[in-house]
Amino acid sequence: MDLTYTPEQQAFRAEVRAWLDVHVPSEPLEHFDATREGFEAHREWEKTLKSGDWGMVTWPKEYGGRGVDLIQWLIFEEEYYRAGAPGRVNQNGIFLLGPTLMEFGTHEQKVRFLPKMASGEEIWAQAWSEPMAGSDLAGVRSTAVLDGDEYVLNGHKIWSSRAVFADWAFGLFRAPGSERHQGMSLIFFPLDAPGVTVNAIKKINGHVGFAEIFLEDVRVPAFNRLGDEGQGWHICMATAGFERGLMLRSPARYQVAASKLADLWEQHKDAADPALEAEVVRAFMNAEAYALNIYQTASRLMAGAKIGPEASTNKIFWSELDIHLMETALAILGPKAELTQEAPDAYPYDWIDDYIFALAGPIYAGSNEIQRNIIAERMLGLPRK
Amino acid sequence: MDLTYTPEQQAFRAEVRAWLDVHVPSEPLEHFDATREGFEAHREWEKTLKSGDWGMVTWPKEYGGRGVDLIQWLIFEEEYYRAGAPGRVNQNGIFLLGPTLMEFGTHEQKVRFLPKMASGEEIWAQAWSEPMAGSDLAGVRSTAVLDGDEYVLNGHKIWSSRAVFADWAFGLFRAPGSERHQGMSLIFFPLDAPGVTVNAIKKINGHVGFAEIFLEDVRVPAFNRLGDEGQGWHICMATAGFERGLMLRSPARYQVAASKLADLWEQHKDAADPALEAEVVRAFMNAEAYALNIYQTASRLMAGAKIGPEASTNKIFWSELDIHLMETALAILGPKAELTQEAPDAYPYDWIDDYIFALAGPIYAGSNEIQRNIIAERMLGLPRK
Amino acid sequence: MDFTLNDEQRMFAETAQTLFADTCTPDHWRKQMETGEARDDARWQAIVETGFTLLLLPEAVGGLGLTELDFALIAEQAGYVALPEPLVESAGVAAPMLASLAPDHEALSDPSATIAIQHPSNPFVLDADLAAAILLHKDGEAYLATPDQVTLTREQSIDPFRRLFRVDWDPAKATALGKVDWDLALDRAALFCAAQGLGLAQRAVDMAVSYAQERQQFGKAIGTYQAVKHHLASAQVAIEFARPVVVAAAADIGNCDVQARARVSHAKLVALEAAEKAARASIQVHGAMGYSWEVDVHLFLKRALALTQNWGTPNFHRSRIATRMFTQPTGPDQTFARETENA
Amino acid sequence: MDFTLNDEQRMFAETAQTLFADTCTPDHWRKQMETGEARDDARWQAIVETGFTLLLLPEAVGGLGLTELDFALIAEQAGYVALPEPLVESAGVAAPMLASLAPDHEALSDPSATIAIQHPSNPFVLDADLAAAILLHKDGEAYLATPDQVTLTREQSIDPFRRLFRVDWDPAKATALGKVDWDLALDRAALFCAAQGLGLAQRAVDMAVSYAQERQQFGKAIGTYQAVKHHLASAQVAIEFARPVVVAAAADIGNCDVQARARVSHAKLVALEAAEKAARASIQVHGAMGYSWEVDVHLFLKRALALTQNWGTPNFHRSRIATRMFTQPTGPDQTFARETENA
């Protein structure tokens, strides 16, 4: 137990900070989901990051990463959020598909996909959900039929993040006639392939946030299947573990937000409900607790532990702390809370927009109801039926 | 819509208040669950009430009641709690069995049981639950076998309130071999009958609060069956409606508690967390809202409406407001909150004991989980399966 | 003591319900959002014809002379459809205030005209640009101006139907109306916010119930899951214990005493808490659908958020209840007590 | 940066777990409640033999010279069994304080002796009657007395194992020990309250899980119901996000700066909130069983309630966190920052 940074860790922090000081755009970029321009500006930022070797810091060097350990990753994230650097348009690649490819992909697949993912040349969308397969992902109905050395894909995906402007997507497709967890394969497809139609879906803040994807006789090489045929569910569960676990939600994000909330409180406290101070303190505590939990998990993983169902507790905790934090901000703002601002990229200063964003937390990446089931069944050992 | 009392209602209030001023014992009685002496003192109080014709104010006059309407009942309860009058040892009779007997009993049964219930001569315990039948009352296993003109009762009842010192109990018994909601009958038995063994169960405050009842070849006349053989479930559901509904929890109880909480706050606020004032106000609001809801329900029932599944919302609301109120008191008391006092009868000044009592609220009379199911299914129309 | 609505009141509520159900459907919302039109003229015409804009005005100025309770029933129905037009603020708050100050003012003679109100408790004015007249405040005095006599700056609300304006004005260019009871305006507005909150809440629950009955996951309707049931049951409990407070506040408001003000504040707090709780539960039950613009449940959350903070913040209203608690007797015999009897 | 326990620490915790599991079972609780005995002598002897009473004392006075983190692991296990004896207050708080003031005091020479402590933040003293010595406070100074030198009045706690005493005493009849760091005593006590809170919470969840696996209603184990699952899952989430705070607070406490104090306060708040939440959930899951004296889950709720309010109220601890927030830098690079580096 040693809660101080080593000199090497301190040096690493200084290096990150110095690089970001120079390179982070002084004006926030337009949001990557809002317009093609915003998306491309973020792609450029990914390329800038890559140029400094800061693109995929946790990836092994052989795949275009920096190969840092988890504590260094946390330090990097702390500095990244602290600097107000742009959101990661390549998040699906960095945290979801990248690790999955490294675990399940062939050498040829890794060589084909990972470097362009790392460079920002190819930006990935996820395509998990379908209209009848939300929380129940085994309800996927889209199909893949092998025809020679090509798959023919048909179906309808929805709630795909980044899909409006991204280059590639990955999703589950099943052999016709297969049921539930059997017969599904994880397959990549280019979003500009013939037969692919992408429609934007607006989030409740009115901004584009997702897309639905229609696939009509879309042909992709069999090479684009990750893992064995029918292994899709197994791979998907591994990916969901990455999604719920350490990687997706950096504690730094909430620590920055908690600091901004404290500033907001100091500005408004003379006019606001004095009882709200307790909520501001609570928001700080929550962000700290989340950071400490993640440091603890990182230490354990570095000592050889595997991430287990306790990852579901993370999902619940960050999604609830985020809503609480934003609610507190709105309460402090009082009758001006309802005002919107121009959609910014930097996090966070548009409290109402961040509140709306936070409301998605308990829904996506496995609803909190599903997470509580997982905790009860796999962590506590309560019976499934 | 007229939210003022009529002159007659005002006169009724004055009459109640004047009588209670004279008759309410100046010293609190020992609790009726604590000792035989406490129980008998409360029986005496029931007789005193009866002597003033205040025993069963809502019962029709023919059964020993006063025949007042629901608004008068509310006024009576307001004055009763305001005066700090003793708890009602006869509650099971007044609010549960009495109304059930009036609806389902024969003339002979009413004549036999109601007057002695009204006079306090016979105090009743309920005997609903069994070790394997809590929330799931259809899981009852105790049996009743007709032998000539007597029933032979066998089984094991638990969580019976008042049973340690009471005279009679009522419970569900099933025909051997019958299942679930079929074949159950509601039967009365004297608690001193041969074959009845009563063991006290301590509540978590250490006081006696319930009993378990073992029945071994207990013989009672067939006359003691309420309604038809096998009609027990139907009658029991009607009784549960009385239990959850208007009658069991008087708003006055919480309004008195909220006033005492306000006093507690004024005494301690200089040393306590200022944010607790919002909770004190909330407790007052909750008690007011509960009272207004009950007045609304009373008006509707007097206008001919029937009580429906919205009674389940009452159960949830009063049980949660009670816990919130007591929690707030403990928070105000700080490190002295853990101190107990001599078990008093008058309500409420032993905050920790009342807190402990409040914790039973979401459990008994149909757990709040069951109540939420009822609201969702019967009030909102969500599917059962 | 009688806590029931009379037949006329029930009919009013039903009329409003039917009118709004026909004229303020999801299709109407979407069309209005797409076109950016401030008002649906056909709907507004129907509202005017039904007499809702005249309901609270005295008969002497051509109004119906009805009560806040009657209007609250309309406001609840307006909440149920997240009504875009400023019926509540104009006909429920501003017009009665103007009638009390200048009963002969021409803006009151046209039942289809709206009146906007700038109130000390709100930073912005709703639909100020389309109003026939704007009531303004300065040092406790009321003034009146037309939109072209003031400077209006549009502010964007998260609620697509709340058209907010900052109003800059010069008293020299407005008509002074003298001292006015700004507290009564706040009480009325808070009461009608509460009534709208009930409607917002019930609609959010109803939408979630419909969705949960239909939506299948893991081979059954999601409404069969206890987690879904309990989310919605808890929201319904909040509604059931807000409604009688709103009704009592509406019946009491004319007393203008500390108890009446506390009850209005209580109503506003709990009805809008119920609305937020119900809307949040509804979004959660809808899953990703609830988070998309297409499913209109977000409208109810946004309106609830806005109404919660306008016409007195929760802290303001809580402090009015504290004043009632700590300056007047409390207890079970005080539920319907009046200040004059107990002070 | 390393957030893992070492092997020795893990062994300590396991030793405590085994010892308490063997010597502090439900049968032991019930026997002790029935007889009213203050201590289970066999259990206390086993505790003493394992060295737990010496753990925090400096080696110079015959102690083990270990750290608050090591002791916190023992305290967590003590919470898991709602330990009746005052191990935590005596060996975790009072004895180290006495050792800092009077290292040669004879009360420190007997490892089975307990030392009681009267602290400004608490109205009463635990197990004062059985203590070899009682640390007393007056105007910031510490005094020492034996039980027969003071007047003890027993006060009844809702927790059957918390034996509280009001202590009235005369400085003339006690030994003055001079100025002392009462804040350090409070920090240690608050930290160990937090550690106990983790144990209390986990036990409450574990008991409910066992019950829910077995108890059948409506033809299936109640643990299959989503409402039961979600009650317990929420409690477990609270535990998972309290534990790292407790561990970090234990590792930090020696720094005695504003950050360390805030972290101790954070740990106490959230660990005892988790304990109360878990105990409440456990009682609810147990149904009527949970409300009966026979099912011991009530012990965990009562201990949690008592520890929540002693050694600093929630408001006190929250205000220490506010001080850290508003006087020191915050942000993602400040998680492990120290006052001297950033003030």
Side-chain angles (χ1 to χ4, degrees):
Chain A
M1 196 81 196
D2 175 9
L3 301 188
T4 56
Y5 295 105
T6 63
E8 291 74 22
Q9 288 165 342
Q10 292 177 32
F12 179 76
R13 182 187 296 280
E15 188 186 352
V16 179
R17 188 175 294 190
W19 190 88
L20 290 170
D21 273 353
V22 174
H23 291 87
V24 170
S26 54
E27 290 293 311
L29 310 183
E30 196 176 9
H31 198 282
F32 46 64
D33 285 333
T35 60
R36 168 62 72 185
E37 289 66 34
F39 189 89
E40 293 304 330
H42 280 80
R43 190 200 297 271
E44 281 309 306
W45 169 247
E46 290 293 331
K47 290 181 180 172
T48 306
L49 279 169
K50 176 72 181 144
S51 75
D53 198 16
W54 299 110
M56 306 285 178
V57 290
T58 54
W59 283 21
K61 291 186 181 174
E62 58 184 302
Y63 301 129
R66 199 182 184 98
V68 307
D69 66 27
L70 287 172
I71 300 293
Q72 288 172 300
W73 173 68
L74 286 168
I75 293 168
F76 172 77
E77 291 284 289
E78 286 166 1
E79 293 301 318
Y80 194 89
Y81 278 98
R82 186 176 174 279
R88 300 298 299 268
V89 69
N90 208 357
Q91 177 173 282
N92 291 314
I94 306 169
F95 296 124
L96 294 182
L97 185 57
T100 311
L101 249 170
M102 290 174 215
E103 190 167 339
F104 296 97
T106 63
H107 176 71
E108 289 71 21
Q109 287 177 319
K110 293 174 189 173
V111 168
R112 162 64 189 84
F113 291 113
L114 289 172
K116 291 192 175 180
M117 196 184 290
S119 67
E121 209 170 327
E122 290 175 351
I123 307 281
W124 286 76
Q126 57 84 353
W128 290 132
S129 297
E130 297 190 2
M132 293 307 294
S135 290
D136 179 14
L137 212 49
V140 156
R141 295 178 180 180
S142 294
T143 55
V145 176
L146 199 60
D147 178 22
D149 58 357
E150 287 187 331
Y151 278 109
V152 183
L153 308 179
N154 278 285
H156 179 187
K157 300 287 182 182
I158 195 166
W159 315 122
S160 296
S161 58
R162 298 306 91 74
V164 178
F165 303 118
D167 308 295
W168 280 82
F170 56 98
L172 287 173
F173 295 84
R174 64 168 63 256
S178 67
E179 287 292 338
R180 306 291 303 160
H181 307 82
Q182 310 299 321
M184 287 194 284
S185 298
L186 187 72
I187 298 176
F188 309 155
F189 56 96
L191 284 161
D192 61 356
V196 173
T197 309
V198 178
N199 295 329
I201 301 177
K202 282 200 281 186
K203 293 186 294 186
I204 56 179
N205 61 359
H207 303 161
V208 170
F210 320 97
E212 55 184 347
I213 306 174
F214 293 90
L215 297 110
E216 211 171 335
D217 292 330
V218 176
R219 302 188 76 92
V220 298
F223 176 79
N224 289 12
R225 188 193 67 228
L226 187 62
D228 294 334
E229 184 153 308
Q231 208 193 354
W233 181 257
H234 173 69
I235 298 174
C236 166
M237 286 299 97
T239 309
F242 299 135
E243 184 171 18
R244 270 198 304 277
L246 195 60
M247 296 306 204
L248 188 61
R249 284 293 185 130
S250 170
R253 173 191 196 99
Y254 303 111
Q255 292 180 303
V256 167
S259 288
K260 297 214 188 257
L261 183 69
D263 293 345
L264 187 77
W265 173 247
E266 297 216 275
Q267 289 158 29
H268 289 79
K269 66 182 172 188
D270 293 337
D273 179 0
L276 289 172
E277 183 170 279
E279 303 308 321
V280 175
V281 172
R282 177 65 59 175
F284 172 80
M285 289 165 64
N286 286 339
E288 292 282 293
Y290 185 61
L292 293 170
N293 180 298
I294 297 290
Y295 266 94
Q296 186 186 55
T297 305
S299 288
R300 283 187 186 155
L301 293 177
M302 286 167 67
K306 289 262 175 204
I307 204 152
E310 71 278 9
S312 291
T313 67
N314 285 12
K315 166 75 207 297
I316 290 170
F317 196 79
W318 65 246
S319 59
E320 294 184 349
L321 85 83
D322 199 16
I323 291 175
H324 169 267
L325 197 159
M326 299 306 162
E327 273 180 333
T328 303
L330 297 190
I332 293 170
L333 288 167
K336 291 190 175 171
E338 69 177 300
L339 295 189
T340 62
Q341 295 162 31
E342 286 307 294
D345 185 280
Y347 187 92
Y349 64 84
D350 190 350
W351 295 103
I352 187 77
D353 201 58
D354 283 342
Y355 170 77
I356 297 284
F357 180 75
L359 292 182
I363 294 170
Y364 81 108
S367 75
N368 284 14
E369 287 79 14
I370 300 283
Q371 305 299 343
R372 285 192 163 87
N373 289 351
I374 291 172
I375 293 166
E377 291 163 14
R378 298 189 210 159
M379 203 169 163
L380 301 179
L382 287 169
R384 295 196 68 155
K385 305 203 167 183
Chain B
M1 197 80 196
D2 176 8
L3 301 189
T4 56
Y5 295 105
T6 62
E8 292 73 22
Q9 288 164 343
Q10 291 178 32
F12 180 76
R13 181 187 295 282
E15 188 186 352
V16 178
R17 187 175 294 191
W19 190 89
L20 290 169
D21 273 351
V22 175
H23 290 89
V24 169
S26 53
E27 290 294 311
L29 310 184
E30 196 176 7
H31 198 281
F32 48 62
D33 284 334
T35 60
R36 166 64 70 184
E37 288 68 35
F39 189 88
E40 292 305 329
H42 280 79
R43 190 200 297 271
E44 281 309 306
W45 169 246
E46 291 292 333
K47 290 181 180 171
T48 306
L49 279 170
K50 176 71 182 147
S51 75
D53 198 17
W54 299 111
M56 305 289 178
V57 292
T58 53
W59 284 20
K61 290 187 181 173
E62 56 184 306
Y63 302 128
R66 199 181 185 98
V68 307
D69 67 27
L70 287 171
I71 298 294
Q72 286 172 299
W73 173 69
L74 286 168
I75 293 170
F76 172 77
E77 291 283 296
E78 287 166 1
E79 292 301 317
Y80 194 89
Y81 278 98
R82 186 177 173 279
R88 300 299 299 267
V89 67
N90 208 357
Q91 178 172 279
N92 290 314
I94 307 168
F95 296 125
L96 295 182
L97 186 57
T100 312
L101 248 170
M102 290 175 217
E103 189 165 339
F104 296 97
T106 62
H107 176 70
E108 290 72 21
Q109 287 176 319
K110 293 176 189 171
V111 169
R112 160 65 189 85
F113 291 112
L114 289 172
K116 290 189 175 180
M117 195 184 289
S119 68
E121 209 170 326
E122 290 176 352
I123 307 282
W124 285 76
Q126 56 84 353
W128 291 133
S129 296
E130 296 189 3
M132 293 307 294
S135 291
D136 180 13
L137 212 49
V140 157
R141 293 178 181 180
S142 295
T143 55
V145 176
L146 199 60
D147 178 20
D149 58 355
E150 288 187 329
Y151 277 109
V152 182
L153 309 179
N154 278 283
H156 179 185
K157 300 289 183 181
I158 195 166
W159 315 123
S160 296
S161 57
R162 296 308 91 73
V164 179
F165 302 118
D167 308 295
W168 280 82
F170 56 98
L172 286 173
F173 295 85
R174 64 166 65 256
S178 68
E179 287 291 338
R180 304 294 302 160
H181 307 83
Q182 310 299 320
M184 286 194 285
S185 298
L186 187 72
I187 297 177
F188 309 153
F189 56 97
L191 284 162
D192 61 357
V196 173
T197 309
V198 177
N199 296 328
I201 301 176
K202 282 200 283 186
K203 293 186 294 187
I204 57 179
N205 61 359
H207 302 161
V208 170
F210 321 98
E212 55 184 349
I213 305 173
F214 293 91
L215 298 109
E216 210 171 334
D217 291 333
V218 176
R219 303 187 77 90
V220 298
F223 176 78
N224 289 11
R225 188 194 68 229
L226 187 62
D228 294 333
E229 185 155 305
Q231 207 192 354
W233 182 258
H234 173 67
I235 297 173
C236 166
M237 286 298 97
T239 309
F242 298 136
E243 186 171 23
R244 270 197 305 277
L246 193 62
M247 296 306 201
L248 190 61
R249 286 290 185 133
S250 169
R253 171 190 199 100
Y254 304 111
Q255 291 179 302
V256 167
S259 287
K260 297 214 189 259
L261 183 70
D263 294 344
L264 187 77
W265 173 248
E266 297 216 275
Q267 288 157 30
H268 290 79
K269 66 182 172 188
D270 292 338
D273 178 1
L276 290 172
E277 182 168 280
E279 302 309 321
V280 175
V281 172
R282 177 66 58 175
F284 171 81
M285 289 164 64
N286 286 339
E288 292 281 293
Y290 186 62
L292 293 170
N293 180 298
I294 297 290
Y295 266 95
Q296 185 185 55
T297 304
S299 288
R300 283 186 187 154
L301 293 177
M302 286 168 66
K306 289 261 176 207
I307 203 153
E310 71 278 9
S312 290
T313 67
N314 284 12
K315 166 75 207 301
I316 289 170
F317 195 79
W318 66 246
S319 60
E320 294 183 351
L321 85 82
D322 199 16
I323 291 175
H324 170 268
L325 196 158
M326 298 306 160
E327 274 180 332
T328 303
L330 297 189
I332 293 170
L333 287 168
K336 292 193 175 171
E338 67 177 302
L339 296 189
T340 62
Q341 296 163 31
E342 285 308 293
D345 186 280
Y347 188 94
Y349 67 83
D350 190 350
W351 295 102
I352 185 78
D353 200 59
D354 283 341
Y355 171 75
I356 297 284
F357 180 75
L359 292 182
I363 295 170
Y364 80 110
S367 76
N368 284 13
E369 288 78 14
I370 299 285
Q371 306 300 343
R372 285 191 164 85
N373 289 351
I374 292 172
I375 294 165
E377 292 163 12
R378 299 190 209 157
M379 203 168 161
L380 301 179
L382 287 168
R384 296 195 69 153
K385 307 203 165 185
Chain C
M1 182 61 57
D2 176 18
F3 216 117
T4 58
L5 301 175
N6 61 35
D7 289 344
E8 195 190 7
Q9 287 165 332
R10 271 194 292 266
M11 257 180 47
F12 253 120
E14 276 166 33
T15 303
Q17 188 175 27
T18 307
L19 189 159
F20 294 146
D22 292 342
T23 60
C24 196
T25 67
D27 284 346
H28 288 94
W29 290 327
R30 285 175 211 161
K31 177 160 171 279
Q32 217 171 330
M33 284 190 271
E34 276 162 28
T35 60
E37 273 172 15
R39 289 189 195 168
D40 179 310
D41 290 332
R43 175 166 64 227
W44 186 250
Q45 200 49 43
I47 288 170
V48 170
E49 280 165 15
T50 320
F52 294 163
T53 58
L54 298 174
L55 197 147
L56 269 188
L57 293 179
E59 289 173 271
V61 304
L64 301 183
L66 292 174
T67 69
E68 284 89 352
L69 177 56
D70 302 288
F71 194 84
L73 301 173
I74 314 292
E76 180 178 354
Q77 297 303 327
Y80 195 80
V81 298
L83 189 72
E85 289 78 17
L87 170 65
V88 168
E89 305 223 357
S90 174
V93 185
M97 180 188 243
L98 181 57
S100 74
L101 295 166
D104 302 326
H105 195 282
E106 61 179 1
L108 296 171
S109 63
D110 174 7
S112 71
T114 60
I115 301 165
I117 177 168
Q118 184 199 46
H119 190 277
S121 65
N122 300 331
F124 308 114
V125 180
L126 260 189
D127 285 286
D129 58 336
L130 300 178
I134 309 171
L135 278 162
L136 299 158
H137 73 88
K138 188 174 162 57
D139 305 330
E141 309 253 328
Y143 292 79
L144 199 71
T146 54
D148 60 351
Q149 292 172 325
V150 301
T151 308
L152 299 179
T153 314
R154 179 74 190 268
E155 298 274 358
Q156 204 65 42
S157 168
I158 189 77
D159 180 337
F161 295 127
R162 277 176 62 84
R163 302 175 59 261
L164 303 178
F165 292 87
R166 191 151 49 79
V167 182
D168 296 296
W169 60 288
D170 178 353
K173 293 185 187 155
T175 312
L177 297 176
K179 285 275 177 217
V180 62
D181 190 348
W182 292 105
D183 289 345
L184 177 62
L186 177 101
D187 280 336
R188 282 188 178 135
L191 171 67
F192 302 142
C193 282
Q196 288 175 85
L198 293 180
L200 295 167
Q202 194 61 58
R203 183 62 172 277
V205 169
D206 291 352
M207 289 175 80
V209 166
S210 297
Y211 185 76
Q213 286 167 334
E214 298 302 324
R215 170 73 170 171
Q216 305 269 326
Q217 290 280 275
F218 302 103
K220 50 185 186 172
I222 62 168
T224 60
Y225 288 99
Q226 221 178 11
V228 169
K229 285 180 179 170
H230 288 195
H231 277 317
L232 298 178
S234 297
Q236 192 65 42
V237 170
I239 296 170
E240 296 299 318
F241 285 84
R243 181 169 285 119
V245 184
V246 176
V247 171
D252 268 3
I253 192 172
N255 290 299
C256 294
D257 59 3
V258 70
Q259 284 94 341
R261 287 191 289 274
R263 187 143 285 154
V264 166
S265 288
H266 181 173
K268 180 166 189 276
L269 282 171
V270 294
L272 286 158
E273 283 167 2
E276 192 187 333
K277 182 173 194 159
R280 290 266 298 271
S282 191
I283 287 175
Q284 185 69 19
V285 166
H286 278 86
M289 292 296 292
Y291 197 67
S292 75
W293 184 270
E294 286 300 300
V295 173
D296 310 286
V297 64
H298 65 94
L299 296 175
F300 297 86
L301 178 71
K302 291 167 178 174
R303 186 67 56 89
L305 287 174
L307 296 186
T308 295
Q309 297 290 351
N310 279 278
W311 298 107
T313 63
N315 188 39
F316 169 83
H317 287 292
R318 201 181 302 114
S319 69
R320 295 212 309 180
I321 302 168
T323 301
R324 182 254 171 273
M325 278 182 75
F326 296 118
T327 66
Q328 299 291 315
T330 61
D333 57 332
Q334 301 293 318
T335 313
F336 301 102
R338 298 263 65 88
E339 188 176 356
T340 46
E341 290 169 38
N342 298 289
Chain D
M1 182 61 58
D2 177 16
F3 216 117
T4 59
L5 302 175
N6 62 35
D7 290 344
E8 195 190 4
Q9 287 165 332
R10 271 194 292 265
M11 257 180 47
F12 253 121
E14 278 166 32
T15 304
Q17 187 175 29
T18 307
L19 189 158
F20 294 146
D22 292 343
T23 61
C24 198
T25 66
D27 285 346
H28 289 94
W29 289 328
R30 285 174 212 161
K31 177 159 168 280
Q32 218 172 327
M33 285 190 271
E34 276 162 28
T35 61
E37 273 172 14
R39 286 188 198 172
D40 178 312
D41 289 332
R43 181 195 310 135
W44 186 250
Q45 200 48 43
I47 287 170
V48 171
E49 280 165 16
T50 320
F52 294 163
T53 58
L54 298 175
L55 197 145
L56 269 188
L57 293 180
E59 290 173 89
V61 303
L64 302 182
L66 292 173
T67 68
E68 283 89 352
L69 176 56
D70 303 287
F71 194 84
L73 302 173
I74 314 292
E76 180 178 355
Q77 297 303 326
Y80 195 79
V81 297
L83 190 71
E85 289 78 19
L87 170 66
V88 169
E89 303 223 359
S90 174
V93 184
M97 180 188 243
L98 181 57
S100 75
L101 294 167
D104 301 327
H105 196 281
E106 61 179 1
L108 295 171
S109 63
D110 173 6
S112 71
T114 60
I115 300 166
I117 177 167
Q118 183 199 46
H119 190 278
S121 66
N122 301 331
F124 308 114
V125 181
L126 259 190
D127 285 287
D129 58 337
L130 301 177
I134 309 171
L135 279 163
L136 300 157
H137 74 88
K138 186 173 163 59
D139 303 329
E141 308 255 328
Y143 292 78
L144 198 71
T146 53
D148 58 352
Q149 292 170 324
V150 301
T151 307
L152 299 180
T153 312
R154 180 73 192 269
E155 297 273 0
Q156 204 65 44
S157 168
I158 188 77
D159 180 337
F161 295 127
R162 278 175 61 85
R163 301 175 60 259
L164 302 178
F165 292 87
R166 191 151 50 79
V167 182
D168 295 296
W169 61 288
D170 178 356
K173 293 185 186 154
T175 311
L177 297 175
K179 285 275 179 216
V180 63
D181 190 348
W182 294 104
D183 288 345
L184 178 60
L186 178 100
D187 279 338
R188 284 188 176 134
L191 170 66
F192 302 143
C193 283
Q196 289 175 83
L198 294 179
L200 295 167
Q202 194 61 59
R203 182 64 171 274
V205 169
D206 290 353
M207 290 174 79
V209 166
S210 298
Y211 185 77
Q213 286 168 333
E214 299 301 325
R215 170 74 170 171
Q216 306 270 323
Q217 291 279 276
F218 301 103
K220 52 185 185 173
I222 63 168
T224 58
Y225 288 99
Q226 220 177 11
V228 168
K229 285 180 180 171
H230 288 196
H231 277 317
L232 297 177
S234 297
Q236 193 65 42
V237 170
I239 296 171
E240 297 299 318
F241 285 84
R243 180 169 285 118
V245 184
V246 176
V247 172
D252 267 3
I253 191 171
N255 289 299
C256 295
D257 59 1
V258 69
Q259 285 93 342
R261 287 192 289 275
R263 188 142 288 154
V264 166
S265 289
H266 182 174
K268 180 165 190 275
L269 282 172
V270 294
L272 286 160
E273 283 167 0
E276 192 187 332
K277 183 174 193 158
R280 290 266 298 270
S282 190
I283 287 176
Q284 185 69 20
V285 166
H286 278 87
M289 293 296 291
Y291 195 66
S292 76
W293 185 268
E294 287 300 300
V295 173
D296 310 287
V297 64
H298 65 92
L299 296 175
F300 297 86
L301 177 70
K302 291 168 180 175
R303 187 68 56 87
L305 287 175
L307 297 186
T308 295
Q309 296 290 352
N310 278 280
W311 298 108
T313 62
N315 188 39
F316 169 85
H317 288 291
R318 200 181 302 113
S319 68
R320 295 212 308 182
I321 302 168
T323 301
R324 182 254 171 276
M325 279 182 74
F326 296 118
T327 66
Q328 301 289 316
T330 60
D333 58 333
Q334 300 292 318
T335 314
F336 302 102
R338 297 264 65 89
E339 186 177 358
T340 46
E341 292 170 36
N342 298 290

